[in-house]
């Protein structure tokens, strides 16, 4: 791994499971206090966001197996991905810009794929 770059494992994790900086902030907040159940309202106050945005992030994190839900309260679930989430925490603390670049690169790749779907009849050489 080149100095200053994220590991391939972390890049894959971000590509598959993380779509925003706010989602990382939610995940890492819950990871810091794994025994505490959090509601969207509590997290939104802590992170100074809207409950609707936080609720969306919580659902996405749960979908990826990173959180457990008990009604409308969530906890970090270390069972599947704790090693890579620990790596994410470390990189986010030390090289936040690199992590954010990886998230935006994912978004740009998604937009390019979406745009490519509308390019009908163009030769591959034109792209």
């Amino acid at each position: 791994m080149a100095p200053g770059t994220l590991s391939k494992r972390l890049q894959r994790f971000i590509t598959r499971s993380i779509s925003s900086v706010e989602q990382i902030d939610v995940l890492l907040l819950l990871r810091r206090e794994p025994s505490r159940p959090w509601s969207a309202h509590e997290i939104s106050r802590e992170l100074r966001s809207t409950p609707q945005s936080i609720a969306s992030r919580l659902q996405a994190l749960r979908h990826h197996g990173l959180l457990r839900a008990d009604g409308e309260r969530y906890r970090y679930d270390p069972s599947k991905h704790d090693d890579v989430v620990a790596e994410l925490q470390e990189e986010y603390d030390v090289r936040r810009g690199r992590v954010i670049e990886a998230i935006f690169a994912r978004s740009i790749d998604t937009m390019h794929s979406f745009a490519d779907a509308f390019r009908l009849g163009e030769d591959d050489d034109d792209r």
Side-chain angles (χ1 to χ4, degrees), residues 65-110:
L66 297 162
L67 304 180
R68 291 182 302 227
D70 183 16
E72 293 190 19
R73 301 187 76 74
Y74 296 82
R75 293 179 198 224
Y76 175 66
D77 184 356
S79 63
K80 295 181 186 176
H81 305 288
D82 196 48
D83 289 346
V84 73
V85 175
E87 184 180 349
L88 173 65
Q89 173 77 63
E90 183 178 324
E91 290 293 336
Y92 196 61
D93 289 346
V94 176
R95 288 181 279 281
R96 184 175 304 240
R98 294 274 184 218
V99 174
I100 292 169
E101 285 175 9
I103 294 167
F104 285 114
R106 172 190 189 260
S107 298
I108 290 170
D109 289 345
T110 300

Side-chain angles (χ1 to χ4, degrees), residues 9-103:
R9 178 177 83 150
L10 182 54
Q11 288 175 1
R12 273 192 311 275
F13 175 75
I14 290 170
T15 298
R16 292 178 183 160
S17 304
I18 303 295
S19 61
S20 71
V21 173
E22 185 177 57
Q23 196 173 15
I24 291 175
D25 290 336
V26 170
L27 176 62
L28 297 181
L29 174 66
L30 273 64
R31 185 175 187 265
R32 282 192 294 274
E33 296 188 49
S35 63
R36 177 181 172 181
W38 290 82
S39 71
H41 287 283
E42 291 167 333
I43 296 168
S44 69
R45 281 194 304 271
E46 184 77 21
L47 297 179
R48 297 187 174 128
S49 186
T50 65
Q52 297 82 6
S53 180
I54 297 299
S56 171
R57 307 305 177 198
L58 289 166
Q59 288 301 317
L61 291 166
R62 182 173 180 228
H63 172 77
H64 290 290
L66 297 162
L67 304 180
R68 291 182 302 227
D70 183 16
E72 293 190 19
R73 301 187 76 74
Y74 296 82
R75 293 179 198 224
Y76 175 66
D77 184 356
S79 63
K80 295 181 186 176
H81 305 288
D82 196 48
D83 289 346
V84 73
V85 175
E87 184 180 349
L88 173 65
Q89 173 77 63
E90 183 178 324
E91 290 293 336
Y92 196 61
D93 289 346
V94 176
R95 288 181 279 281
R96 184 175 304 240
R98 294 274 184 218
V99 174
I100 292 169
E101 285 175 9
I103 294 167

